[in-house]
Amino acid sequence: MKLMGAAAGLHLTGASWAQNGAYPSRVIKIIVSSTPGSATDLAGRLVGDLLYAKYGQSVVIENRAGAGGVIGMQAAAASKPDGYTLTTGGLGHNVLPPATLRGLPIDIPTALLPIAQVAEFVNALVVRVDHPANTVPELIEYLRATKRKPLYGSNGVGSSSQMTAELFAMRTGLKFDHVPYKGASEALVGTANGDLDLCFMNLPPTLPMVDGKRLKALAVTSAYRARQLPNVPTMQEQGMKDFDVTSWLGMYAPAQVEPAIIAQLSNTIVTGLAAPEYQSRIINAGFEPKLRDAAQFQAFSKAELKRWSEVAKQAGIVVDYGGK
């Protein structure tokens, strides 16, 4: 747990809203449903710094990892809906579990309300470095010509890695076998060794192996080129119309928090993170700045849940929840 406040040594100017009896008037807690140093943890600490700088109220970061984020989300959803308990989330916690898992102990989309999107990061399509294909069309042609069912790897069932590959299969009509690994590194090593035909993986763990000439990146899955791989074209640039997949992060609150507080927090986060200082911090953490206010983020989240639920259903990867 980390306390952000007077001990953080930040110099504040201007009167705190709390002096007028307005929200917030006491400590804010941000529950992070993952371990320290994870993508969602970094996003939570960034927002915590911003809220402290804005309001002069201490912010406690509480890591509640486990069960694929469900433990932390349950704790946040069960908290008093007064705006003093917030939580981090994103595609991997708030959309893919309800899209791919039956019997979850929490109805995530209705229990937690999106406040603001903070950032996103892309997936890259990679193959072994000596693969004959150098473009997505060449890879599709190669896979269609092979006499066996191609293999793709991921960092787990229901991960964004798997879901992106299944979307690729649906869009191309190709049939794959899925090889789930324990983590991203293992799946990437399997691709580099030639055990897999391809892999879609988040850019942060992929980039070192691309830079080290162990993997060849054929495309990024976002609608824009990644600043870290400026010479690698997007899927859309190579003929995959409307193929736009990113992993995204944001802030959430218990669903019954007053709309006025949600609107205030949304405006504070979106406006604050648009400042150059915070934009630089987002980029330096390996993310792309992507800000959405509450209304935009809620609409986007609903669209993402619909899209990935359809992909999961068509790919037959809806399974029973067994997290502990």
Side-chain angles (χ1 to χ4, degrees):
M1 181 181 296
K2 181 180 179 182
L3 180 65
M4 298 172 180
L10 296 178
H11 177 67
L12 300 178
T13 60
S16 168
W17 287 21
Q19 292 176 346
N20 297 322
Y23 170 87
S25 60
R26 55 185 172 83
V27 175
I28 297 171
K29 178 168 67 176
I30 296 178
I31 296 176
V32 176
S33 301
S34 58
T35 56
S38 64
T40 49
D41 178 72
L42 293 173
R45 293 175 191 277
L46 184 70
V47 171
D49 286 345
L50 172 66
L51 294 180
Y52 173 69
K54 170 68 176 179
Y55 297 121
Q57 295 294 336
S58 297
V59 179
V60 174
I61 304 296
E62 182 178 320
N63 293 90
R64 298 284 295 271
V70 171
I71 290 175
M73 288 187 285
Q74 283 182 298
S79 65
K80 188 176 180 180
D82 55 9
Y84 289 95
T85 299
L86 311 176
T87 187
T88 56
L91 178 67
H93 285 164
N94 297 71
V95 168
L96 296 185
T100 61
L101 298 173
R102 288 185 297 261
L104 283 165
I106 176 176
D107 186 353
I108 298 169
T110 60
L112 297 171
L113 185 65
I115 300 172
Q117 183 173 325
V118 172
E120 65 184 14
F121 48 99
V122 309
N123 289 338
L125 169 56
V126 294
V127 295
R128 69 179 192 273
V129 73
D130 61 346
H131 197 287
N134 292 301
T135 66
V136 173
E138 288 178 1
L139 177 64
I140 294 171
E141 182 179 359
Y142 173 87
L143 295 172
R144 284 178 174 158
T146 188
K147 295 182 179 180
R148 57 175 176 78
K149 186 180 286 188
L151 302 175
Y152 76 83
S154 79
N155 56 330
V157 174
S159 64
S160 66
S161 174
Q162 181 191 14
M163 300 298 280
T164 306
E166 291 294 344
L167 181 62
F168 177 66
M170 290 167 54
R171 295 291 298 276
T172 59
L174 292 164
K175 301 297 183 182
F176 293 95
D177 277 336
H178 173 218
V179 183
Y181 287 77
K182 291 183 178 180
S185 297
E186 292 87 347
L188 292 169
V189 169
T191 307
N193 291 342
D195 300 328
L196 304 170
D197 291 283
L198 61 96
C199 183
F200 287 91
M201 189 58 69
N202 297 151
L203 191 57
T206 305
L207 193 60
M209 295 188 69
V210 173
D211 290 341
K213 308 299 183 184
R214 296 195 60 196
L215 289 170
K216 178 165 50 176
L218 302 186
V220 292
T221 60
S222 52
Y224 54 85
R225 293 196 182 196
R227 68 182 72 228
Q228 299 90 343
L229 294 173
N231 295 322
V232 176
T234 66
M235 298 287 285
Q236 292 185 13
E237 287 180 287
Q238 299 183 73
M240 300 292 292
K241 186 178 179 181
D242 298 326
F243 200 107
D244 182 10
V245 177
T246 60
S247 294
W248 40 269
L249 303 167
M251 297 300 300
Y252 296 76
Q256 301 306 314
V257 172
E258 292 181 12
I261 293 178
I262 295 296
Q264 178 181 327
L265 284 168
S266 176
N267 180 68
T268 297
I269 294 169
V270 171
T271 302
L273 294 185
E277 172 195 353
Y278 287 99
Q279 292 281 290
S280 295
R281 289 180 62 181
I282 291 170
I283 293 168
N284 291 338
F287 307 130
E288 284 292 326
K290 184 68 175 182
L291 301 172
R292 287 186 170 98
D293 64 22
Q296 294 168 333
F297 192 28
Q298 289 164 21
F300 174 72
S301 297
K302 289 179 181 178
E304 285 284 87
L305 179 60
K306 182 176 184 292
R307 171 166 71 148
W308 293 115
S309 295
E310 291 172 352
V311 171
K313 183 177 180 180
Q314 292 185 41
I317 55 175
V318 179
V319 298
D320 292 326
Y321 172 73
K324 295 181 179 180

